[in-house]
Amino acid sequence: MALQYKTIHPVKYLRDFLAHNVRPDGRGLLKFRPMALNVRSISSADGSALVKIGNTSVICGIKAELATPKAEEPDRGFIVPNVELSPLSSSKFRPGPPSEEAQVASQFVFDVILNSGCIDTKCLCIVPDKLAWVLYCDLVCLNYDGSVLDACILALMAALNTVSLPEVEYDHEKSTTTVKTERVPLKILSMPVSTTHAIFDDEVLLADPTCEEEDLASGTITVVVSEGKLCSVWKPGGSPLTESQMDGCVDRAKNRVSSVLDLINTALKSSS
Amino acid sequence: MAAMAEDQHVLRKMFCEFDVLSCPDGSAMKYRNRSCLRPNKLIIDKACVEAVYRPKVGQPRVADKTKEKMIGNTCSSAILSTLYPRTSVSIILQEMQNSGGLMACAINAAYLALIRSGIAMKFLVAAVTCGITKDDKVILDPDLNKVKDCHTELMFAFDSIDFNIVAVDSSGQYTEEQYQKALSLCKEASNEIFDFYRNLVKKYACCI
């Protein structure tokens, strides 16, 4: 019976739950879903991680390649994040070129890397104007069940922590490169942690929304905290929020940081 | 020095010209944009609001998709979309010149075009940009020269009724105090933009 009710009146179904301060999956309104993290899941990649937040799962693989730096920034390497929301993750997505949502997610991940300064792209440069590393960070969503941006950032940061790059020697005279077998871990300068809230019925805030909640929500807000500082507050339209509601989102995002960092550290320790 | 300090809390002069384009239902050249109603995508019980953002040169890229989403969502939150079932509202923005605060300008231009097109809205939205300089000062509406001194740029969009926050976008790192400071400054400045809207409507409306 509940299933039919949910299909016919999805909004009312959710509203009935929220009236009792509980969500359809049994969580409180501001409770987060349990997270699971596995690092070094892909042995052929230079760094990888698999993240599960509730049913949302994202796998991140990082591949390092050598390239020539851009002429305008000869002393910097590149980081190229790419979020893939494939049809296997949700019936919302169709095969073909990246959907708008995937493009927006890729850009968001790129902005977070840039704003948080978690990697100094100067470290990726081997020989200025000649040789630099490109880190292709492929984030594939395996199951789309809301808060994908949070999962992407977590997977990316965990994967970046496992990246080690081989030492490279460059011969200026012959312009040849020799890749050695010794590997050096990549230096990570900060750890951004992202937290998403959904706004339902213009006033109720739901932490870490599922896909169903996101679809019915009138807006989302994503806060990224890095080393005690805010590095992104992203609210692309939707219902207006009061200042106190916004502050609540920021506070919860800050409080969540330690648990997420603990998870990453535990996963890294257990795998090494 | 007093003049200097004051200067940092003042919005740059705004210009707007309506009806620069003849075909769409409403257009505003704040840096030129237009919005039009045409059946494209179809949602049975409400209007579909979409934004198209064209950069000054070249094809729209991935970064422009993020802008489109920001502008589209910000506009759709105010439009009374249930009044226009099976309708699509396309907001087409063409970047003409970027001298800082592009995102805020695009949102304001979109709203001016929406006003002109006569679409029913719950509230209006005013977007304001501010920057935080390296010596921890918050400056309002920085131009390209001032942006170079800023490590952070924040964009806030407020509604016209309770001045609640409709949209936020940021680049760079900042503390919570800096965020609060920027927010209150932008909130104050948004009044000026609503006045600007009001004056424009007075000027262009043929009968009130």
Side-chain angles (χ1 to χ4, degrees), chain A residues 74-129:
Chain A
D75 58 343
R76 285 180 187 275
F78 311 90
I79 305 173
V80 186
N82 183 38
V83 178
E84 197 179 310
L85 299 172
S86 56
L88 76 91
S89 65
S90 163
S91 53
K92 280 195 342 187
F93 307 114
R94 302 268 128 234
S99 62
E100 193 188 314
E101 199 177 340
Q103 291 186 38
V104 170
S106 300
Q107 184 65 33
F108 180 81
V109 173
F110 181 74
D111 286 344
V112 167
I113 297 172
L114 207 68
N115 289 338
S116 65
C118 57
I119 290 180
D120 186 3
T121 42
K122 279 184 182 165
C123 298
L124 297 174
C125 183
I126 304 159
V127 181
D129 208 24

Side-chain angles (χ1 to χ4, degrees), chain A residues 12-208:
Chain A
K12 197 165 175 297
Y13 176 78
L14 183 55
R15 209 174 277 149
D16 284 351
F17 272 100
L18 299 187
H20 295 93
N21 280 327
V22 70
R23 288 153 75 170
D25 55 4
R27 275 186 290 163
L29 302 192
L30 300 172
K31 285 277 181 302
F32 296 94
R33 287 176 288 181
M35 291 179 284
L37 176 63
N38 183 284
V39 292
R40 300 192 176 91
S41 336
I42 311 169
S43 53
S44 56
D46 293 297
S48 61
L50 172 68
V51 166
K52 273 189 85 141
I53 301 182
N55 287 328
T56 299
S57 34
V58 172
I59 191 159
C60 175
I62 297 177
K63 194 80 198 145
E65 277 183 24
L66 289 166
T68 328
K70 267 194 267 179
E72 56 262 44
E73 287 173 330
D75 58 343
R76 285 180 187 275
F78 311 90
I79 305 173
V80 186
N82 183 38
V83 178
E84 197 179 310
L85 299 172
S86 56
L88 76 91
S89 65
S90 163
S91 53
K92 280 195 342 187
F93 307 114
R94 302 268 128 234
S99 62
E100 193 188 314
E101 199 177 340
Q103 291 186 38
V104 170
S106 300
Q107 184 65 33
F108 180 81
V109 173
F110 181 74
D111 286 344
V112 167
I113 297 172
L114 207 68
N115 289 338
S116 65
C118 57
I119 290 180
D120 186 3
T121 42
K122 279 184 182 165
C123 298
L124 297 174
C125 183
I126 304 159
V127 181
D129 208 24
K130 291 276 185 273
L131 206 60
W133 285 111
V134 192
L135 296 182
Y136 289 104
C137 311
D138 285 317
L139 294 141
V140 182
C141 183
L142 302 174
N143 193 351
Y144 185 98
D145 194 22
S147 312
V148 168
L149 292 180
D150 298 1
C152 284
I153 299 291
L154 176 54
L156 177 80
M157 289 323 295
L160 280 175
N161 269 290
T162 63
V163 171
S164 58
L165 297 171
E167 278 191 41
V168 176
E169 234 170 49
Y170 181 78
D171 191 326
H172 282 272
E173 280 170 11
K174 292 186 212 151
S175 305
T176 50
T177 51
T178 336
V179 181
K180 293 181 176 171
T181 44
E182 296 100 83
R183 295 178 86 93
V184 186
L186 186 69
K187 217 163 124 192
I188 310 291
L189 303 173
S190 64
M191 292 290 277
V193 173
S194 150
T195 306
T196 301
H197 287 77
I199 313 155
F200 182 70
D201 267 358
D202 291 349
E203 53 190 13
V204 187
L205 278 170
L206 304 171
D208 193 11

Side-chain angles (χ1 to χ4, degrees), chain B residues 10-124:
Chain B
V10 169
L11 289 174
R12 284 175 287 163
K13 214 164 163 33
M14 288 174 282
F15 299 98
C16 177
E17 200 181 315
F18 280 131
D19 299 332
V20 275
L21 304 168
S22 53
C23 293
D25 299 309
S27 77
M29 177 149 138
K30 202 187 162 188
Y31 293 56
R32 187 182 287 192
N33 109 0
R34 60 187 173 135
S35 79
C36 57
L37 286 169
R38 65 186 160 91
N40 183 8
K41 249 179 257 169
L42 201 113
I43 307 174
I44 291 169
D45 59 342
K46 58 181 183 180
C48 163
V49 183
E50 57 170 11
V52 179
Y53 182 89
R54 305 277 310 179
K56 193 162 71 178
V57 282
Q59 290 294 309
R61 290 183 303 169
V62 176
D64 299 315
K65 276 271 181 273
T66 315
K67 288 196 185 104
E68 279 179 8
K69 180 169 177 172
M70 188 72 148
I71 298 162
N73 276 0
T74 310
C75 291
S76 63
S77 59
I79 292 173
L80 285 163
S81 52
T82 40
L83 287 183
Y84 307 99
R86 297 168 190 270
T87 314
S88 154
V89 181
S90 307
I91 301 156
I92 300 138
L93 294 135
Q94 168 71 54
E95 174 190 342
M96 304 282 282
Q97 190 190 344
N98 180 9
S99 13
L102 189 67
M103 196 63 217
C105 179
I107 291 176
N108 292 343
Y111 267 88
L112 283 165
L114 286 171
I115 296 174
R116 193 62 177 162
S117 65
I119 295 170
M121 286 187 280
K122 280 182 258 184
F123 47 76
L124 291 177

